[in-house]
Amino acid sequence: MNTLKDILYRVSIEAVKGTTDIEINMVDFDSRKISENDVFVAIRGTASDGHDFIEKAINQGAIAVVCDTFPEVIVSGITYVKVKDTNAALAFMADNFYDNPSRNLKLVGITGTNGKTTVASLLYQLFKKAGYKVGLISTVRILVDEVQYNATHTTPDPLTINRYLKAMNEAGVEFCFMEVSSHGIHQKRTEGLHFAGGVFTNLSHDHLDYHNTFAEYRDVKKSFFDHLEKSAFALSNVDDKNGLVMLQNSNAKKVTYALKSYADYKAQILENQLSGLLLKINDNEVWVRLIGTFNAYNLLAIYGTAVELGLDSFEVLRLLSELESVSGRFQFIISDQQITAVVDYAHTPDALENVLKTINDIRTKNEQLITVVGCGGDRDKTKRPLMAGIAASLSDKIIITSDNPRTEDPEAIIAEMEKGVEPQHFKKTISITDRKQAIKTACQFAGPNDIILIAGKGHETYQEIQGVKYDFDDMKIVKEFLEQLNK
């Protein structure tokens, strides 16, 4: 049984009312989940403030409350712990409650705007192929070795992270690869975790609805590397102009990777086809099944990470050649009529540009490239015109449609996107609010050898409209329409 005193280890405490020498059952920040002898941690969120639910938590059986301001009414027999930052406190408490599970495996955090899911998922795949028990915490799914769980956030809350890490300890997992989002870092969800290494992929325009400025977004990412321990490694993409910034104040072993610059891990693209890439990595050639320059970066990050974690470099090259693409990340099918449909999660201007340039590098230009693209509601509005502008300039036809409009009017989102289309591209641009109809239209426009890109939702199997999630799978829908055309 845990005592409150034990799980408050490393928490920055300002004042205590009551005793911390009490046995506690569970820790939670959701007052609805509180039961007898639990500790309630009051978190100030974007939508609600946990301090407003302290009374409710006590009525449900909370024996202790962790807060940043004492409530006006102090209930006798309840312990109140005032801390500097309840987000950080929750992270340390979760780590202690589950017996510091990150110290019993090698945990690697992957951060950056694009590529996090691909790098984390393919590292999981590679280490599984190398014969290890492996864990994965990603946007798409959580894996405790072979057992799969659904993911709800890119970086889950600290209790969820530590609960899964503890399950990994119990399953004998040796390595865990985890996506670390800027939200997760900013909200201290990764505080208290012991990382064996950190990887920086790249930085571009995203989440400015949350971080206000690009500099703030960059500095939040950088803080992850600032907190790595001396025993860890920090692997950074130095072709990105922020790559060296990430390493500036890190105590970790600094290692770099690049395609264009001088780096510890260097790659060169020798061939780029729809069937794969021929890469030269640190003077050794390897054929891989993934395509595009952005995947050359991802594979180099994976190679560097695996070598830093002690795998043999030649064995890593062999395993790279066996890797298969991640769900919703440049997934493609070719119909009987030789129409290629690509589904990709690209939902930032940079990611969309990467995918379109990759397709344009491979194609002969004798065929059409038709792009279906939308932008999410209740998210960064500044990227909407940028994304439509990029799609229009790099495609032969573009269909602007809905993504996950959430609580916004989808037609208003589309109107904002249309502002980014330059006059010379008006003729090739149409807008269809219904995403299914937009995909159907793209299939009807396509002829033999044409390429359709459906961007933005990737692996997602739903569309969120006014708070309701409806079944929606881009890959499934495009397959159906292409099969209909075959008939």
Side-chain angles (χ1 to χ4, degrees), residues 7 59 100 112 130 136 158 188 275 317 390 392 411 444 463 471:
I7 68 159
N59 291 340
N100 318 108
L136 173 70
K188 312 279 172 73
S275 53
L317 287 172
I390 288 163
E411 289 181 9
Q444 288 167 336
Q463 189 176 25
D471 284 348

Side-chain angles (χ1 to χ4, degrees), residues 65 87 119 160 209 235 242 340 369:
V65 171
N87 280 300
V119 172
T160 305
D209 53 321
L235 175 65
N242 293 290
T340 301
L369 169 54

Side-chain angles (χ1 to χ4, degrees), residues 111-112 114 198-203 225 234-247 255-263 265 293-294 296-298 300-301 350 354:
T111 195
N114 303 312
V199 180
F200 170 72
T201 59
N202 50 63
L203 202 66
F225 295 93
L235 175 65
S236 186
N237 170 10
V238 287
D239 279 348
D240 186 286
K241 62 179 184 288
N242 293 290
L244 287 171
V245 175
M246 297 295 147
L247 302 177
V255 264
T256 56
Y257 70 97
L259 264 66
K260 301 172 195 160
S261 321
Y262 176 78
Y265 296 103
T293 306
F294 63 97
Y297 280 105
N298 292 336
L300 196 50
D350 195 50
N354 281 339

Side-chain angles (χ1 to χ4, degrees), residues 409-478:
D409 173 9
E411 289 181 9
I413 298 172
I414 288 168
E416 286 182 19
M417 289 183 74
E418 287 169 343
K419 288 175 189 169
V421 179
E422 291 178 9
Q424 68 267 34
H425 301 312
F426 284 173
K427 274 187 178 172
K428 60 175 168 182
T429 306
I430 61 167
S431 299
I432 300 171
T433 309
D434 184 309
R435 191 175 179 90
K436 193 169 184 177
Q437 191 60 45
I439 295 170
K440 184 180 183 179
T441 305
C443 293
Q444 288 167 336
F445 279 161
N449 302 316
D450 286 350
I451 301 164
I452 301 167
L453 170 66
I454 303 162
K457 289 175 56 56
H459 64 280
E460 291 175 356
T461 53
Y462 64 85
Q463 189 176 25
E464 190 180 332
I465 303 166
Q466 294 299 330
V468 181
K469 286 186 176 180
Y470 298 91
D471 284 348
F472 201 100
D473 184 328
D474 282 351
M475 183 52 91
K476 213 162 134 187
I477 288 165
V478 76

